[in-house]
Amino acid sequence: MNETAALLLRQAVRRTQEATRERAATGRGPEEADDVAGTFSTDGALGFDPLPLLRALHEAGSGAVVIGQVAGIMHGSTELTGDLDLLWDGSPEQGRALHAALAATGCTALPELDRPQVEYQVPGVSGDLCTPALPWGDMDVVPCLARAVRTCDPAGFAIQYVDLDDLIRMRHALGRPKDLRRAAELDALRA
């Protein structure tokens, strides 16, 4: 298993921490991100570190797959973010694994996993937990779970993240300005 994607994520975490070191909190959370700048412009970027949660997901046996801009970063995008979005299958077994990982990383209010998209927050990162039942336009995201790729973090845990082609299709399905810009960047990285 290749470490490249995990190393890209570690570099982005360091860059985010350096870029926000002097930034004062504004009270704007990731849910208030605009469709152009994304969550990097919110308080979600302050202290951003998804690695403890990603380790806990591995240790809990979760099949959750990293999507969104963190997946973009793992594919080579240079645009930073302030949240970690995950795709999971919606099954009770995987729900228990998600709850175990969230609890292990300090989540004090475990989210009810009875909707297609729910927010979560742990120290260092927040984001959305999405299931295939969430409307993705014309895209069927169920196959994305099976096609996910894996990277090995230098600390010894695996991270599953969405395949590049699937991520680009997700970006186009969402269609927001930031998604289209990021899809174009990912397309250019393939060339």
Side-chain angles (χ1 to χ4, degrees), residues 51-64 94 96-105 150 153 155-160:
L51 294 166
L53 178 57
L54 292 170
R55 175 190 279 274
L57 290 167
H58 170 83
E59 291 172 351
S62 171
Q94 286 299 307
R96 287 188 292 277
L98 280 172
H99 273 166
L102 291 168
T105 51
R150 293 169 59 99
D153 186 83
F157 59 94
I159 303 169
Q160 295 188 109

Side-chain angles (χ1 to χ4, degrees), residues 11-80:
Q11 290 169 0
V13 168
R14 282 192 298 276
R15 287 184 20 243
T16 301
Q17 291 171 351
E18 290 168 7
T20 61
R21 186 169 286 123
E22 304 298 322
R23 188 195 298 178
T26 63
R28 287 184 58 225
E31 67 282 354
E32 298 174 84
D34 67 53
D35 287 343
V36 177
T39 57
F40 180 72
S41 65
T42 71
D43 290 354
L46 305 177
F48 178 73
D49 187 359
L51 294 166
L53 178 57
L54 292 170
R55 175 190 279 274
L57 290 167
H58 170 83
E59 291 172 351
S62 171
V65 173
V66 175
I67 58 174
Q69 186 53 16
V70 171
I73 288 166
M74 295 175 79
H75 283 293
S77 174
T78 59
E79 193 169 326
L80 299 175

Side-chain angles (χ1 to χ4, degrees), residues 47 49 52 105-107 121-125:
D49 187 359
T105 51
C107 184
Q121 183 171 3
V122 298
V125 72

Side-chain angles (χ1 to χ4, degrees), residues 76-115:
S77 174
T78 59
E79 193 169 326
L80 299 175
T81 189
D83 69 344
L84 171 67
D85 297 326
L86 300 167
L87 176 66
W88 66 291
D89 69 7
S91 71
E93 177 185 320
Q94 286 299 307
R96 287 188 292 277
L98 280 172
H99 273 166
L102 291 168
T105 51
C107 184
T108 56
L110 291 175
E112 294 293 327
L113 300 175
D114 57 350
R115 291 170 296 156

